[in-house]
Amino acid sequence: MLFSLTNTHTGKKIYLLKDKYEVGRKNCDFLIENDLSISRKHATIEVENNKVKITDAASKYKSFLNGEEMTPNVACLLRCGDEIQFGVYNSKFRLEHQKFVTTATRLSGAEKMQLKNEMQSIHGSYVEEWSQDCTHLTVKEIALTVKVLYALIDDKPIIMPQYWTALKKHVTLGEDAPKIEDYNKPPVNETLLSRVEWKREINRTNLFKNKLFIFLTENSKKTMEGVISRLGGTSIAWEKNPMASEDVKKSPKDIIVIQPLEKTQNSSFEELTRIVLAKGHRLIPQQEIALAVVSGNLEKDCNPEFDRASEVFCNASRRTPSQSTVVAQNTESQTYSQDLSKVKEEKMQIVIGATYSPETDTNKEDKLPSSVDDNMGENKSDTFKRPSDLTITNESKRMRTEDIGWTTSNSNRNNSTGIATMNQTKIIQT
């Protein structure tokens, strides 16, 4: 907690960065000049355990707390907004405080150490995991990490590290905090975000109300269950809590089935998939949960009824074909499960990072789920693949589609169901 005393006449702030201050008109930490009613040693201010106490040192012209004369040599506990007057003239101050608690995502070890030091210098706190006590999220650039999603849900500023450096300088000079608007627009380093509107300051509280998200595995559920819960939704892992077909069909909640990252041999989940597709719905790629949070609506993302394939081909028909093309099989049947062919992976990928979960190792920047290979490189984080460049040609059309959150192909189609599976991998942004 950062406490300050603001002169009610001049507006000048004095930040209480030390544990103890001597108030007086000469040779004191808290120096008050040009006021003849101030004694050489007038009072003492102590800051301890996020509390501020003041004691009048038997001064000649007294000290006053909210207009009441203080008893000499008796400590008084101050509250935020209290006014303290030293002497009988214009040396009146108001106690104020500011709370700074931040965590960070996608910072290097050196950058994180610098941030911790700056937070300590302004009596702020750095925490490893996001919680509702956090006042800010610190990032160099916007990536779709879970911490970013929590900051949006809680409507907390997402700021660049330079803010804390500037704040430390302002505090040292006794100035007001720098304008947050100068630091709360980090560059967006996610190509997939180009197809959604980045919205802040909107109420997302009930975004997933009456929605049941069904994941195949417990590991995939753990990544997003906290976000889903905070937005009013529920989630289950099918491998642990399968539902009967009739229960799925008659569920009072809107069922959102998350596309597995890999092909599955789970027969009951395959049956669930058939039920979803038979209704004309689609399976939802996991990254659409993040995109729905960013946009603050379910018009397209996390909407099983939205025809993503039609949008993809509509957008593709308006684009100029690139030199990079692959020849697909006949694409006359344009359905979700039988429309797209092969995918070219590029280096730019979607990042889903550190989670707010009791199981999360707080000593690590971002954790990979157990389903991810261990050979993905040093900069590990929970990530979702973004197939960034897909080009399809047939005898009559040559089209290029971009920024799709899902892919299907004949090679991915499950033999027993004829249903294409999600080609999502967890890849580090390089």
Side-chain angles (χ1 to χ4, degrees):
M1 193 80 72
L2 179 61
F3 291 99
S4 64
L5 287 172
T6 302
N7 190 302
T8 59
H9 293 279
T10 66
K12 181 176 176 59
K13 287 182 180 293
I14 299 176
Y15 290 95
L16 304 180
L17 299 175
K18 297 181 1 178
D19 295 335
K20 187 175 181 179
Y21 289 84
E22 299 291 342
V23 181
R25 60 182 171 86
K26 191 173 183 181
N27 299 327
C28 291
D29 309 287
F30 199 107
L31 190 62
I32 302 177
E33 299 177 303
N34 303 319
D35 187 338
L36 298 178
S37 67
I38 302 299
S39 302
R40 285 177 177 267
K41 183 180 178 182
H42 197 101
T44 302
I45 300 173
E46 297 176 277
V47 182
E48 184 178 8
N49 297 326
N50 286 329
K51 295 179 180 179
V52 180
K53 296 179 181 179
I54 185 169
T55 304
D56 181 79
S59 59
K60 181 176 181 180
Y61 290 102
K62 310 298 180 182
S63 299
F64 302 85
L65 175 58
N66 295 326
E68 298 290 330
E69 183 178 320
M70 296 176 60
T71 304
N73 300 316
V74 175
C76 293
L77 182 64
L78 301 184
R79 297 177 180 177
C80 186
D82 283 349
E83 291 190 349
I84 307 97
Q85 180 174 334
F86 303 109
V88 294
Y89 294 124
N90 294 325
S91 299
K92 182 184 290 187
F93 300 84
R94 181 175 57 255
L95 181 69
E96 298 174 346
H97 78 277
Q98 293 172 280
K99 181 181 178 181
F100 298 108
V101 181
T102 191
T103 186
T105 184
R106 310 292 291 170
L107 295 187
S108 68
E111 291 165 337
K112 187 186 291 187
M113 183 59 66
Q114 179 181 349
L115 176 58
K116 290 179 179 179
N117 291 337
E118 288 176 337
M119 294 303 295
Q120 186 176 8
S121 70
I122 60 170
H123 289 205
S125 301
Y126 177 88
V127 294
E128 291 292 342
E129 299 302 324
W130 181 268
S131 74
Q132 290 180 276
D133 289 332
C134 290
T135 60
H136 301 76
L137 175 64
T138 305
V139 303
K140 287 196 303 182
E141 55 190 16
I142 295 293
L144 282 182
T145 67
V146 174
K147 287 181 179 179
V148 169
L149 301 185
Y150 278 121
L152 287 173
I153 292 169
D154 291 333
D155 196 20
K156 299 296 176 64
I158 301 174
I159 59 171
M160 296 181 287
Q162 294 89 331
Y163 174 78
W164 303 112
T165 303
L167 178 59
K168 179 181 177 181
K169 180 179 179 181
H170 281 234
V171 167
T172 302
L173 297 175
E175 298 175 348
D176 288 333
K179 293 181 179 179
I180 198 76
E181 294 80 8
D182 295 336
Y183 301 90
N184 71 346
K185 296 179 178 62
V188 177
N189 190 16
E190 294 292 354
T191 304
L192 197 57
L193 285 175
S194 64
R195 69 175 176 87
V196 297
E197 183 180 357
W198 184 265
K199 292 186 178 181
R200 298 178 174 88
E201 299 178 356
I202 62 175
N203 187 354
R204 296 173 168 85
T205 305
N206 295 315
L207 183 63
F208 294 151
K209 184 178 180 181
N210 202 40
K211 309 293 182 186
L212 173 61
F213 289 78
I214 300 179
F215 296 82
L216 173 60
T217 66
E218 184 68 20
N219 281 340
S220 57
K221 180 177 80 79
K222 283 182 179 180
T223 303
M224 301 302 294
E225 65 179 339
V227 170
I228 292 170
S229 176
R230 289 287 306 279
L231 295 175
T234 55
S235 59
I236 64 170
W238 189 265
E239 65 180 7
K240 292 185 66 175
N241 304 106
M243 299 171 60
S245 299
E246 287 303 312
D247 292 338
V248 172
K249 295 176 181 178
K250 297 179 179 180
S251 174
K253 296 186 176 182
D254 298 329
I255 300 292
I256 298 177
V257 180
I258 302 302
Q259 178 73 57
L261 297 174
E262 298 176 353
K263 290 189 291 186
T264 175
Q265 302 300 321
N266 188 311
S267 59
S268 64
F269 192 83
E270 292 174 358
E271 175 63 23
L272 171 66
T273 303
R274 282 192 288 270
I275 294 173
V276 171
L277 297 180
K279 294 175 64 176
H281 292 181
R282 64 187 177 97
L283 304 188
I284 301 299
Q286 194 164 338
Q287 64 263 33
E288 285 197 19
I289 300 175
L291 295 174
V293 175
V294 171
S295 65
N297 69 72
L298 305 179
E299 180 182 348
K300 297 180 180 180
D301 297 305
C302 281
N303 181 358
E305 298 180 12
F306 176 67
D307 190 349
R308 179 72 73 189
S310 294
E311 182 195 49
V312 167
F313 281 98
C314 179
N315 291 340
S317 65
R318 294 195 294 264
R319 293 192 175 110
T320 302
S322 71
Q323 295 179 357
S324 173
T325 62
V326 295
V327 178
Q329 298 180 359
N330 192 312
T331 55
E332 290 181 359
S333 176
Q334 308 294 351
T335 66
Y336 174 74
S337 62
Q338 295 178 318
D339 54 3
L340 300 180
S341 139
K342 294 184 179 180
V343 174
K344 288 178 58 182
E345 295 180 8
E346 293 181 351
K347 291 184 178 180
M348 191 65 69
Q349 304 294 341
I350 295 299
V351 178
I352 292 291
T355 63
Y356 175 44
S357 167
E359 291 81 6
T360 303
D361 182 355
T362 57
N363 293 322
K364 294 186 178 181
E365 177 71 14
D366 291 318
K367 291 185 66 177
L368 283 168
S370 59
S371 61
V372 183
D373 293 339
D374 293 330
N375 60 353
M376 302 306 291
E378 294 181 0
N379 186 20
K380 294 184 177 182
S381 64
D382 296 345
T383 62
F384 294 128
K385 171 186 175 182
R386 180 189 70 80
S388 57
D389 193 348
L390 172 66
T391 308
I392 297 175
T393 64
N394 59 20
E395 295 179 357
S396 60
K397 297 181 180 180
R398 176 170 295 176
M399 298 178 292
R400 184 184 180 197
T401 64
E402 297 176 345
D403 300 337
I404 332 168
W406 45 267
T407 66
T408 62
S409 70
N410 289 337
S411 61
N412 287 335
R413 194 171 294 129
N414 185 286
N415 292 332
S416 62
T417 63
I419 296 169
T421 59
M422 185 66 179
N423 182 18
Q424 297 183 65
T425 57
K426 293 181 180 281
I427 300 177
I428 303 303
Q429 182 177 0
T430 57

